Amino acid sequence: MNLGRLGAMLLPALLAGASPHALAAKDAPACDRAQPECALSLMRVHPVKTLAFWKDALAHPLAERVVIESPELVDFLTLDTIAQAIPTRPRPASPSPGLVADVRSAIAEMPAEVQRLLERKLLGIRFVEDLGGTGFTDWVYDERGRPGGAFIVLDPSVLARRKANEWATWKERSPFRDDGADRLDATIETGARDDRMHAIQYILLHEFGHVLSVGEHFHPSWSIPPSQVGPTGAFPFFELSWKVSSEGRYVSRFDGQFPERSRVVYYFGPKLDGREMAATYGHLERTNFPTLYAATHPGDDFAESFANYVHTVRMGRPFEIRLLHEGRAVKVYGPCWSEERCEAKRAILEKMLQGP
Ligand SMILES: [Zn+2]
């Protein structure tokens, strides 16, 4: 189970600057769409990747951009699961009216400056069952191949399941094996706000971080493999924490002090032992990653930083990871935004939220 699945790497068409729109139809390859290579090539020319598909979405209020039906998105996500070898097959969704209302309320409650930025970049939110994660975000291009916005797809059955703290605890436990002695509890809401709507709100804030990175230079595009990114000096947020290794992989600048980082894997099967929790969070405090999930990938570093900053600083909500060993609290990890270690990231986020 993945929180924020990102679109498959669509090289080389997009890298070469080719317009997906111009390629549509006439260049759609005739191949076996059950094969990953074929699925990738069909995704490259898929209508949902073109701004034309989303028509005048940006002219509508945010609430109207939350739409249930989308056969095209089911098709696109199916190709993506084939391309990324994810063993689920997306299906059309019929979310309950209450769930759709929760998504709209979650957005409406966000700070005005966040909504203003979204108005320019969020093309739509759609619902698809079994998409292979809770949420999926991907960029969309105009007829000249320039990024023009992003869309989000949500899995209603996954969203319907948990309240805020229950969801956050489930997510933050997922990198660690359950050994019966070590335990992690996450708190992101209190009292009556600990409900499903506020779980959805935090999930959306993370996805909105990805949406707001469209056309910006916070980090290299996730459509480009690290080995092909080239000089990274143009990505100031990325530069604060990441580099490309000589083997062409993203590594953090803190890996020497944070040896657990390379084994931090969310959702797909834990690689860290329960007894490593306290050391992992202790080492995380020596970095400028606001959350453990931020340490997994440059794009998720930005999305998590955005979500955690807006949630705790702009919305004044809690964020606490409490670690217990045999029932006794051994460590409490909190927000980093008033600490020196996160100052530079905070400055970039605040500049972005000021708007152009
Ligand atoms: Zn993400």
Side-chain angles (χ1 to χ4, degrees), residues 96-170:
S96 70
L99 187 87
V100 178
D102 274 359
V103 171
R104 293 197 173 118
S105 310
I107 299 171
E109 202 189 77
M110 288 179 190
E113 62 270 28
V114 171
Q115 297 191 43
R116 214 165 33 239
L117 292 176
L118 285 172
E119 275 162 10
R120 276 186 267 130
K121 290 188 174 171
L122 177 63
L123 296 165
I125 296 181
R126 301 290 185 273
F127 297 89
V128 170
E129 293 283 352
D130 287 329
L131 58 83
T134 310
F136 174 97
T137 297
D138 211 355
W139 292 13
V140 171
Y141 299 85
D142 71 9
E143 65 285 349
R144 291 173 58 189
R146 294 169 307 193
F151 63 86
I152 293 173
V153 185
L154 298 171
D155 186 330
S157 328
V158 179
L159 289 185
R161 241 177 254 160
R162 293 177 176 96
K163 294 181 178 179
N165 294 336
E166 199 186 343
W167 169 78
T169 297
W170 165 76

Side-chain angles (χ1 to χ4, degrees), residues 4 206 210 300:
H206 176 99
H210 289 311
D300 281 316

Side-chain angles (χ1 to χ4, degrees), residues 4-6 206-207 210 293 300 303:
R5 212 149 75 60
L6 299 171
H206 176 99
E207 297 304 322
H210 289 311
Y293 194 59
D300 281 316

